[in-house]
Amino acid sequence: MKIHEYQGKELFRQAGVPVLEGIVARSGDEAAAAYEKLGGAIAVVKAQIHAGGRGKGNVIDNPNQKGVVLAKSADEARAAAEGLLGKKLVTIQTGPEGQTVNQVFVEAGCDIARELYLGIVLDRAAAKPVLMVSTEGGMEIEKVAEETPELIHKAHFDPAVGLEAFQVRKLCKKLGITGNAAKAAMRFMPAMCRFYVDYDCELAEINPLVITGDDQMIALDAKITFDNNALFRHKELLELRDLGEEEPSEVRASNAGLSYVKLEGNIGCLVNGAGLAMSTMDIIKYCGGQPANFLDVGGGANAEQVTEAFRILLSDPNVKGVLVNIFGGIARCTTIAGALIEASKTVGFTVPLVVRLEGTEVEEGRKMLAESDVDIISAVDITDAAKKIVAAAAEVA
Ligand code: ADP
Ligand code: MG
């Protein structure tokens, strides 16, 4: 689950990670009032969307309206907010269709002496979280990693111990941070690592992390992704979820307890088990096709879930064919067959359908399908099924 910058900064503040004063605004007037309330000469109006690159991105059809705008008066803050609110902002992370801005964050201006990068992710190979810092703040870190990896400095830390003082000292040396700024880092970096662990983050990224003219260290940006599997431990975070920022079909799927990820291809897949779903997608690609989604209905899927899964698949206009690949374990083939028949009645299959069933109650399941009037292309095994759906979908498209 992702959250907005302003929400992340509020959590940072509570965790003792320094941020600037800021106020959320949902209209031009609110932005102007926020500017007055902050009371400084300079404020920054920042579009709030779940994507980075806002500073360089701009509103669709208006290259002059950037996603992060400096305002030197209440009127400038109002104009910036009005130029962003309700508009679609396109950045390198949103795709060409952009993302609608529903709120802006009006933040106090900052006297930036240096822009650094700080990010924490889980290093699966090391089985530990890793803190990464770089002098190349404000840049795309993926680019830095590719072109000048030596400029990214890493420190793995034990989640139970946190980041240790000697590790901070080493990183400061590499970043050329001394004096009071180094003292600030001694508080800032361990606090961020604690934050990452305490909230079960997948990613916590501050780009840029700034050192101010008077040697303070401040998080000027906040990009946080929480591990969904740990959200049950953080009920308070669920309130921060912004469904408007998420892919609607994925929200629908998660409400039905399905694991669904929308992809770019044209073959809808309905599979039980994540491993089987991955190999089904592989074999579709191997046979020259492109999967339209990853969909795992789970081991214990019931008829309602499977029917909803078909609805989600078929509501994607890109889907030109559906491949059902079920290995009945706890979920019986008869359940899937029943849901398939139900879905064909309530949703209707307008595209070719290939079904491969194996496992628990397979004979009964196949019999149900054979006796129904659902139009199915039969397949002997998964390779045969993949070949057939790729061919059938190509004819539709
Ligand atoms: P994004 O990463 O989405 O482009 P950032 O929050 O990193 O958005 O802002 C982009 C740039 O805008 C920063 O690199 C920084 O130079 C500038 N900026 C952001 N917030 C402030 C602020 N409060 N004061 C001064 N400059 C800011
Ligand atoms: Mg940034």
Side-chain angles (χ1 to χ4, degrees):
M1 184 184 100
K2 292 182 183 169
I3 57 174
H4 288 292
E5 174 196 3
Y6 78 91
Q7 297 168 321
K9 285 183 169 172
E10 186 48 43
L11 296 177
F12 281 178
R13 189 191 308 280
Q14 291 165 19
V17 174
V19 290
L20 297 166
E21 282 300 313
I23 298 165
V24 177
R26 295 188 175 83
S27 69
D29 284 347
E30 283 182 19
Y35 175 91
E36 298 290 2
K37 190 151 184 236
L38 291 173
I42 292 178
V44 179
V45 178
K46 309 178 80 175
Q48 298 296 292
I49 54 170
H50 284 188
R54 296 161 300 164
K56 296 197 181 81
N58 58 266
V59 162
I60 278 184
D61 299 332
N62 185 1
N64 294 326
Q65 180 65 63
K66 300 287 177 199
V68 176
V69 184
L70 209 67
K72 295 195 187 106
S73 68
D75 282 341
E76 282 185 23
R78 177 184 295 138
E82 286 174 352
L84 287 167
L85 289 164
K87 310 273 167 50
K88 282 188 181 257
L89 184 64
V90 181
T91 80
I92 42 162
Q93 292 185 4
T94 61
E97 68 283 359
Q99 223 147 297
T100 306
V101 181
N102 294 315
Q103 52 225 337
V104 294
F105 190 46
V106 185
E107 188 176 59
C110 183
D111 165 25
I112 302 174
R114 287 185 70 189
E115 290 200 345
L116 308 171
Y117 170 91
L118 182 152
I120 309 172
V121 291
L122 182 67
D123 181 346
R124 288 168 200 276
K128 273 182 186 168
V130 59
L131 169 71
M132 298 177 289
V133 292
S134 174
T135 49
E136 306 305 291
M139 310 263 295
E140 244 179 280
I141 199 65
E142 290 80 2
K143 225 171 151 188
V144 180
E146 202 162 297
E147 292 168 8
T148 48
E150 68 281 4
L151 296 180
I152 299 179
H153 312 290
K154 298 180 182 175
H156 290 86
F157 60 93
D158 186 311
V161 177
L163 191 72
E164 298 190 70
F166 78 91
Q167 295 182 292
V168 183
R169 279 195 288 272
K170 265 192 185 168
L171 293 175
C172 282
K173 207 165 177 191
K174 292 198 166 125
L175 295 171
I177 298 176
T178 54
N180 284 338
K183 278 190 192 145
M186 289 301 271
R187 293 186 298 273
F188 194 106
M189 290 184 189
M192 260 317 287
C193 292
R194 217 174 303 121
F195 177 94
Y196 180 89
V197 173
D198 285 351
Y199 281 107
D200 291 304
C201 298
E202 251 171 33
L203 166 82
E205 188 179 62
I206 302 174
N207 189 17
L209 161 66
V210 301
I211 298 177
T212 61
D214 55 358
D215 277 346
Q216 292 181 61
M217 202 169 241
I218 289 175
L220 215 57
D221 196 0
K223 202 168 169 204
I224 300 168
T225 310
F226 300 108
D227 179 351
N228 288 345
N229 292 318
L231 280 174
F232 73 97
R233 299 206 283 214
H234 309 281
K235 298 264 182 321
E236 77 282 8
L237 294 179
L238 291 174
E239 285 170 27
L240 303 181
R241 189 167 175 195
D242 184 349
L243 293 175
E245 294 283 329
E246 297 179 25
E247 167 64 39
S249 54
E250 291 180 10
V251 174
R252 235 175 114 178
S254 94
N255 288 340
L258 305 164
S259 301
Y260 172 87
V261 181
K262 186 170 154 45
L263 300 168
E264 305 299 316
N266 64 356
I267 296 172
C269 317
L270 186 143
V271 188
N272 66 330
L276 190 60
M278 297 298 286
S279 47
T280 304
M281 290 161 65
D282 279 350
I283 205 151
I284 288 172
K285 285 209 164 197
Y286 184 74
C287 294
Q290 291 291 339
N293 66 281
F294 168 96
L295 172 56
D296 170 14
V297 297
N302 59 36
E304 290 77 48
Q305 282 176 304
V306 178
T307 313
E308 179 69 357
F310 277 119
R311 280 205 191 95
I312 293 168
L313 282 189
L314 295 169
S315 65
D316 178 352
N318 293 339
V319 168
K320 304 292 182 224
V322 173
L323 172 58
V324 176
N325 186 16
I326 296 293
F327 196 91
I330 300 167
R332 293 150 204 266
C333 291
T334 44
T335 306
I336 305 291
L340 232 156
I341 295 165
E342 181 62 27
S344 100
K345 279 188 206 138
T346 57
V347 197
F349 286 100
T350 49
V351 294
L353 172 69
V354 172
V355 181
R356 182 255 184 169
L357 289 179
E358 280 302 342
T360 311
E361 296 184 354
V362 64
E363 291 309 329
E364 296 90 325
R366 284 189 188 145
K367 191 154 170 269
M368 282 166 72
L369 290 177
E371 286 169 1
S372 74
D373 45 17
V374 186
D375 195 5
I376 293 172
I377 303 172
S378 60
V380 288
D381 58 31
I382 182 57
T383 313
D384 184 43
K387 277 184 193 152
K388 282 181 171 152
I389 195 60
V390 171
E395 260 169 51
V396 175

